[in-house]
Amino acid sequence: TPFLDSLYACSLSFPNFYSAGIHTNHGLYATLYSFPAMMKRNLMKGSVIPHYSGLPTVLKENGYHNLFFMTHEGQYDNMNAFFRTNGFDEVFAQEDYPSEKVVNPRTDKPETQIVEYADWALRKFFEEARKQSWFENTIFVLEGDHGKLVGDAECELPQSYNHIPLMIYSSSITPAEHMAFGGQIDIQPTVLGLLGIDYLQNNFGVDLLKEERPCMFYTADNMIVGRN
């Protein structure tokens, strides 16, 4: 990941950062609305969709037009309906992309292809973004939705399942590595703090640039773990 490695060095980076759970829906829910994962439950599913206050709704109240791009079909994990109900103006999904644009990297191992393609795609994205007038006025947040098993399982719940990267990049932000604990629930208040936007704090997140967490907790379906 040569591009991601270079971006890490010029970002606000958080090496002791953890996902809320081990599924994509947990990561999105925690990142955008600052609530932890509730064991195995997918809190975005249900016939009646609750309304949450979170990063999308606060940004919308402050004049932003919110777009969500996903790689799955629109109804995966009820994302289309949930996000349109909770702050997003438009949702783009698999059915919106031309099928001829689907491509593979050079390597022949699927897991290596995924990593190689992600690094290539992010490099291309930033190359094009730098040409745009809005680049200098944009904060880019890069994270993992959850981790994966790396190596052999050394315990019942290996740390790698939840240990994820967080990088916050902006041309106006001084790069620094923050060693304190953090989690996906902290992204909303941290980003809104960088933007200087006031909001009602009614969730579990903290601004990682103003408050230090002594520990972090996360789940893996039927298990809850705390790290300090």
Side-chain angles (χ1 to χ4, degrees):
T1 56
F3 176 73
L4 280 172
D5 291 347
S6 67
L7 194 66
Y8 184 91
C10 55
S11 302
L12 289 176
S13 51
F14 299 81
N16 292 311
F17 198 79
Y18 294 87
S19 65
I22 59 172
H23 302 285
T24 298
N25 66 82
H26 294 156
L28 292 171
Y29 179 78
T31 295
L32 296 171
Y33 305 99
S34 288
F35 284 101
M38 299 291 287
M39 309 304 280
K40 293 183 179 181
R41 290 180 60 192
N42 179 350
L43 296 173
M44 297 193 295
K45 281 189 173 182
S47 55
V48 178
I49 300 175
H51 289 262
Y52 290 93
S53 174
L55 185 59
T57 59
V58 174
L59 291 177
K60 189 175 179 67
E61 291 166 359
N62 283 270
Y64 287 79
H65 186 79
N66 298 321
L67 311 179
F68 186 88
F69 294 84
M70 57 186 292
T71 56
H72 300 287
E73 54 88 22
Q75 293 308 313
Y76 179 77
D77 272 349
N78 202 37
M79 288 187 190
N80 183 55
F82 182 87
F83 288 142
R84 288 183 184 275
T85 301
N86 286 285
F88 282 96
D89 299 288
E90 299 180 65
V91 175
F92 295 87
Q94 192 175 63
E95 52 267 31
D96 299 304
Y97 310 136
S99 58
E100 66 272 14
K101 295 297 183 182
V102 177
V103 296
N104 288 315
R106 295 181 299 275
T107 54
D108 56 1
K109 295 181 179 179
E111 287 197 355
T112 310
Q113 287 179 347
I114 293 168
V115 175
E116 181 184 16
Y117 179 75
D119 195 65
W120 174 88
L122 284 166
R123 182 192 296 275
K124 293 290 291 183
F125 173 80
F126 273 87
E127 287 175 353
E128 292 302 315
R130 290 181 192 278
K131 302 174 185 177
Q132 311 304 316
S133 59
W134 43 259
F135 182 80
E136 299 296 328
N137 195 37
T138 300
I139 294 175
F140 299 88
V141 180
L142 295 91
E143 63 155 341
D145 55 347
H146 55 78
K148 69 180 297 294
L149 180 62
V150 178
D152 297 324
E154 74 279 7
C155 59
E156 188 176 7
L157 178 56
Q159 177 179 302
S160 62
Y161 277 130
N162 296 82
H163 190 203
I164 62 171
L166 173 66
M167 292 178 280
I168 301 177
Y169 174 83
S170 170
S171 59
S172 61
I173 291 178
T174 302
E177 189 174 49
H178 292 261
M179 302 304 295
F181 285 110
Q184 288 171 326
I185 57 175
D186 302 318
I187 289 178
Q188 175 200 344
T190 303
V191 170
L192 291 176
L194 287 169
L195 292 171
I197 295 177
D198 291 329
Y199 64 100
L200 177 63
Q201 174 70 19
N202 60 357
N203 49 51
F204 291 85
V206 300
D207 185 337
L208 294 174
L209 302 179
K210 297 179 180 178
E211 184 176 345
E212 186 171 310
R213 279 193 178 279
C215 63
M216 194 63 224
F217 64 94
Y218 49 82
T219 75
D221 287 345
N222 63 338
M223 291 183 282
I224 299 176
V225 173
R227 297 194 63 83
N228 56 28

